[in-house]
Amino acid sequence: MTSERRNRQDGNPAAAGTDDREAQDMAPEGTAAPAMRIARYYDNRSVRVESMPRPVIADGEVLVRVMASGICGSDVLEWFRVPKSPRILGHEISGVVAESRTDAFAVGDRVVVRNQIPCGACHPCRHGHHAVCERQVEIEPGGMAEYVRVPAELAGRGLTPLPPGLSFQAGTLAEPLACTLHAQALARIEPHQCVVVLGCGVFGLLHVQVALGAGVERVIAVDKVDFRTDAARRAGAALVLGPDADLPSEVRRINDGRLADVVVLATGAAEALVTASSALARHGTLLLFGAPEPRTPVPLTLNELFWRRELTMVSSYGAGDVDLARGLELLEKGVVDGEAMITHNVPFAEVQRAFATVTEARDSLKVVLDLAP
């Protein structure tokens, strides 16, 4: 007996939709696939709930019924998203297996879905640079849809069980956490160091908590918004400062007279680069994590950055080959307080309101779309 048929006979509600698939298989040739709702992005002020046919899967693939889809800060960067629009966004995904054509997953399994994985065969992948893979394997159509097709390669390496104790909403943080872990590995953050995080949005707070979880005691957080600095205090930062503070002096005060070993730029504000440079010790590392607009000038000269300082500047993009299970482990152990990070759980029908909340970036952290039926 197949896992799909067994789960239906057991009365598993997560198997809903499988009958539609079988009906489609038995329908006359040319019958359309069942429709599903999707959120199609045009720009930040125009994100529309539309419909399209549900994906059809092949051998080795998995169909996931999306239950929650997080909105990333990169989703509202119009200079990045609009040129490729209209499109279906969504790369922070959790859900339930609705149909499986692989023995690795059964209908009803709770999972987090990686939106793409490195191919493993291109030149960057062969040399360990998976985050800049030239031929990423991707889900179809995007996480802001009721169903996503997970290709065979992704089902094997990018579909991860969601622990029973974690909500679907918390599961959407697995991918951002993988990105954070990848970035901190590139920056070689170690317990004995002093780490400054500039920007306390979702990623800044994840950097604070991941560094603390790795044993770093001297983590300093900086932001200009009270809502976010309050969140940084709750996250455990040793020192939380506003933008008007004398950052170099404050770093020296709690770091035995030394400047910081690592500064994480978790903001796209260009002026933060000046602040970061001023707080870095010689031989320090600047981790570029935020994304400034393409035409934003760098307000520092190379002389200021490098002369006699031996600084290292590292940029980070995506999760590389970090397993989403590592992020889920941090959530499960309470190293990262996932539920505290989620400030808005918005019904899918109100996706435009959700995007407006992220775009305004006021009293919000992680905004999650609720797609549960």
Side-chain angles (χ1 to χ4, degrees):
M1 182 183 298
T2 67
S3 58
E4 298 168 18
R5 200 174 299 277
R6 179 179 63 250
N7 279 317
R8 279 203 303 281
Q9 289 184 352
D10 290 342
N12 188 334
T18 308
D19 289 328
D20 289 340
R21 166 76 174 127
E22 291 187 350
Q24 178 190 338
D25 289 343
M26 294 184 291
E29 186 175 350
T31 300
M36 67 174 182
R37 293 182 302 161
I38 55 99
R40 197 179 302 277
Y41 176 90
Y42 295 84
D43 58 46
N44 289 351
R45 294 157 301 285
S46 183
V47 188
R48 307 171 193 169
V49 177
E50 300 176 0
S51 65
M52 68 179 294
R54 185 186 306 175
V56 176
I57 65 171
D59 288 343
E61 299 184 339
V62 174
L63 185 71
V64 172
R65 176 48 160 107
V66 178
M67 292 293 178
S69 185
I71 301 178
C72 179
S74 69
D75 289 332
V76 299
L77 296 178
E78 290 189 316
W79 58 264
F80 182 48
R81 298 299 185 184
V82 170
K84 300 177 183 179
S85 296
R87 62 184 300 184
I88 301 167
L89 301 176
H91 56 270
E92 302 172 355
I93 315 157
S94 64
V96 175
V97 173
E99 181 184 353
S100 177
R101 298 186 66 175
T102 172
D103 292 335
F105 292 92
V107 171
D109 287 350
R110 302 168 76 246
V111 292
V112 293
V113 184
R114 188 167 182 152
N115 68 308
Q116 60 183 21
I117 57 167
C119 71
C122 66
H123 184 272
C125 282
R126 292 198 310 271
H127 292 83
H129 306 303
H130 300 91
V132 290
C133 170
E134 296 170 348
R135 296 189 294 270
Q136 297 274 4
V137 180
E138 299 185 345
I139 60 170
E140 174 198 347
M144 295 182 192
E146 289 185 302
Y147 292 87
V148 294
R149 180 182 70 88
V150 183
E153 301 93 330
L154 251 169
R157 293 190 286 141
L159 203 58
T160 307
L162 177 64
L166 294 179
S167 68
F168 289 115
Q169 285 70 27
T172 65
L173 290 167
E175 193 275 344
L177 272 166
C179 295
T180 305
L181 288 162
H182 171 66
Q184 293 204 5
L186 288 175
R188 299 182 179 180
I189 290 177
E190 299 178 7
H192 68 272
Q193 295 177 331
C194 174
V195 176
V196 174
V197 178
L198 299 180
C200 297
V202 173
F203 272 113
L205 294 173
L206 290 179
H207 274 288
V208 168
Q209 293 175 83
V210 169
L212 290 171
V216 179
E217 295 181 0
R218 297 168 180 174
V219 178
I220 301 170
V222 183
D223 202 287
K224 63 182 180 181
V225 178
D226 290 344
F227 182 83
R228 295 198 287 264
T229 54
D230 289 343
R233 290 187 185 92
R234 293 192 298 272
L239 180 63
V240 179
L241 302 169
D244 297 328
D246 184 341
L247 184 58
S249 296
E250 291 294 329
V251 173
R252 291 182 188 278
R253 182 173 64 83
I254 73 164
N255 192 40
D256 300 327
R258 296 185 64 253
L259 290 173
D261 300 285
V262 179
V263 176
V264 180
L265 210 62
T267 171
E271 60 273 17
L273 187 60
V274 178
T275 305
S277 176
S278 72
L280 265 176
R282 290 187 180 187
H283 203 65
T285 298
L286 177 60
L287 173 56
L288 301 176
F289 196 90
E293 292 191 14
R295 290 180 294 276
T296 301
V298 176
L300 280 174
T301 66
L302 286 175
N303 182 282
E304 290 172 296
L305 278 173
F306 295 112
W307 177 246
R308 297 186 63 206
R309 299 184 69 186
E310 291 196 349
L311 297 184
T312 298
M313 185 179 291
V314 177
S315 64
S316 172
Y317 179 80
D321 62 345
V322 175
D323 191 341
L324 296 193
R326 290 179 58 193
L328 290 170
E329 183 180 5
L330 296 179
L331 291 164
E332 197 172 18
K333 290 181 176 180
V335 174
V336 174
D337 189 345
E339 299 298 337
M341 298 281 289
I342 299 164
T343 55
H344 294 73
N345 188 38
V346 181
F348 190 48
E350 300 177 35
V351 61
Q352 183 63 73
R353 176 169 69 86
F355 267 78
T357 301
V358 178
T359 304
E360 292 167 3
R362 294 177 183 172
D363 294 347
S364 68
L365 294 174
K366 174 52 67 181
V367 177
V368 177
L369 293 172
D370 185 352
L371 286 87

